[in-house]
Amino acid sequence: MRTVPDAIPAFKRQSLDKDILIETPAYDLIELFFFAYRDFVSDPDRILDEYGFGRAHHRVLHFVSRQPGLTIAELLDILRITKQSLNRVLKELIEKDFIESRMGTADRRQRLLHATPQGRDLALKLAKLQTRRIMRALADAEPEAKEAISRYLLCLIDSDDRTHVQQLVFGPDKT
Amino acid sequence: MRTVPDAIPAFKRQSLDKDILIETPAYDLIELFFFAYRDFVSDPDRILDEYGFGRAHHRVLHFVSRQPGLTIAELLDILRITKQSLNRVLKELIEKDFIESRMGTADRRQRLLHATPQGRDLALKLAKLQTRRIMRALADAEPEAKEAISRYLLCLIDSDDRTHVQQLVFGPDKT
DNA sequence: GAGATATGTCAACAAGGCTGACATAAAATT
DNA sequence: AATTTTATGTCAGCCTTGTTGACATATCTC
């Protein structure tokens, strides 16, 4: 939220440039983002294949493993897919004993999702694989780059969702 | 595959710490990347819908518009899909007059792809939309953040592809 | 002229999205 | 207590976008 003094002409010119900048497509970042994400998600694919799972299974398993007791509704909100789409992959993960679904205690309509030991193992294995790529890339950067990148990625997220994601990622405590 | 000297205790401890760093999943970056990409690609969807196009059409149109005269083979290499998948969407883009395919001059087997004026307009409209999000996020960051983020995204890409992507994104001149 | 290369095309299939309709159990409201 | 709302499950069918395998054609290279 840094603000910039307005009065100084040199700065005014900068804000004119800024409008041009907004209208000039940032092809570099658009394309780098595309290629980086392409390779980032490709790592787990080979392993998932061995289990007969796809990327959809990965996403479900990841978030359940990260947040034991997650409900269906919360998961739908995270993934932004329909319950029918979710149910297809979730059913398979439960059948193959990677996730289990317990009845809610406070609200017995809810299903509280938990990864089984087998599920946690796989989730961890995949997370480590992606972490390796992330840390390798980070190794070539300044020490403060990680913070900058986290903040940047967070700002890319829809502003209505940002607080929610922040709680999800960093925990509900830290503001 | 790092091997570690076994004899020296001091090294053992240090490499233990390092392994823990490598082995501790970077959940924050993994998840932020997921959410950021989710929202980043969602912007164009509404507009594409109006034209009866999907994300696959967007990717093709984007790269053709950016690199007039792109060949089928180069496009396949960028997108990493099969020629059958490409052809399905490319055919529609040509039929609806967003892309045109000219016979190669040096090699008449090749098809040199060009966006039509209509195609360029749409590609630009979508790129601007994504740029808006990118620049909004960048506005909250340090001035040197953009460079750091570009470099980071580049390092996330498979190392065999990195030079190729670099040429594609920044132009073949700049090394 | 023979073989390699760039592209196109047909057919079938799989993953993972979607919509719409309907069912059930439990909670919340009146 | 009866009614409505909520959380979830499920059936059926459709769309987009990826895959494989086989085969066709034109053109370039040797």
Side-chain angles (χ1 to χ4, degrees), chain A residues 54-57 59 81-82 84-85 88 107-109:
Chain A
R55 287 178 190 177
H57 300 87
R59 290 192 284 269
I81 56 175
T82 58
Q84 294 91 329
S85 295
R88 185 162 38 205
D107 185 336
R108 311 203 317 169
R109 288 171 303 181

Side-chain angles (χ1 to χ4, degrees), chain B residues 32 37 50 55 68 76 90 105 110 116 119 122 132 137 150 163 171:
Chain B
L32 287 172
Y37 195 77
E50 296 167 18
R55 286 176 190 179
L76 287 174
L90 183 55
T105 46
Q110 293 183 328
T116 62
L122 178 54
R132 204 153 301 156
S150 297
T163 328

Side-chain angles (χ1 to χ4, degrees), chain A residues 31-107:
Chain A
E31 290 166 12
L32 287 172
F33 210 35
F34 165 74
F35 290 113
Y37 195 77
R38 181 193 66 177
D39 291 350
F40 173 69
V41 297
S42 80
D43 282 335
D45 282 357
R46 278 154 285 162
I47 292 171
L48 288 162
D49 237 33
E50 295 168 19
Y51 293 82
F53 292 145
R55 287 178 190 177
H57 300 87
H58 182 195
R59 290 192 284 269
V60 170
L61 181 60
H62 174 93
F63 286 107
V64 169
S65 182
R66 265 277 280 174
Q67 311 208 11
L70 202 63
T71 66
I72 302 286
E74 286 173 294
L75 197 45
L76 288 176
D77 194 46
I78 289 171
L79 300 175
R80 298 254 186 95
I81 56 175
T82 58
K83 61 176 173 178
Q84 294 91 329
S85 295
L86 172 57
N87 224 269
R88 185 162 38 205
V89 291
L90 183 55
K91 216 192 279 178
E92 288 171 10
L93 284 164
I94 291 172
E95 273 167 12
K96 291 190 182 171
D97 195 37
F98 287 77
I99 285 179
E100 61 179 18
S101 143
R102 305 177 193 157
M103 195 166 59
T105 46
D107 185 336

Side-chain angles (χ1 to χ4, degrees), chain B residues 16 27 60-61 66-67 115 155 163 166 171:
Chain B
L16 250 172
Y27 287 124
V60 171
L61 181 59
R66 266 276 280 174
Q67 311 208 10
C155 288
T163 328
Q166 216 162 355

Side-chain angles (χ1 to χ4, degrees), chain A residues 16 59-60 110 117 137 161:
Chain A
L16 246 173
R59 290 192 284 269
V60 170
Q110 292 182 327
D161 248 48

Side-chain angles (χ1 to χ4, degrees), chain B residues 72 90 94 99-104 110-114:
Chain B
I72 302 287
L90 183 55
I94 291 172
I99 287 180
E100 60 179 18
S101 144
R102 306 177 192 159
M103 194 166 58
Q110 293 183 328
R111 302 300 136 116
L112 308 184
L113 303 172
H114 294 262

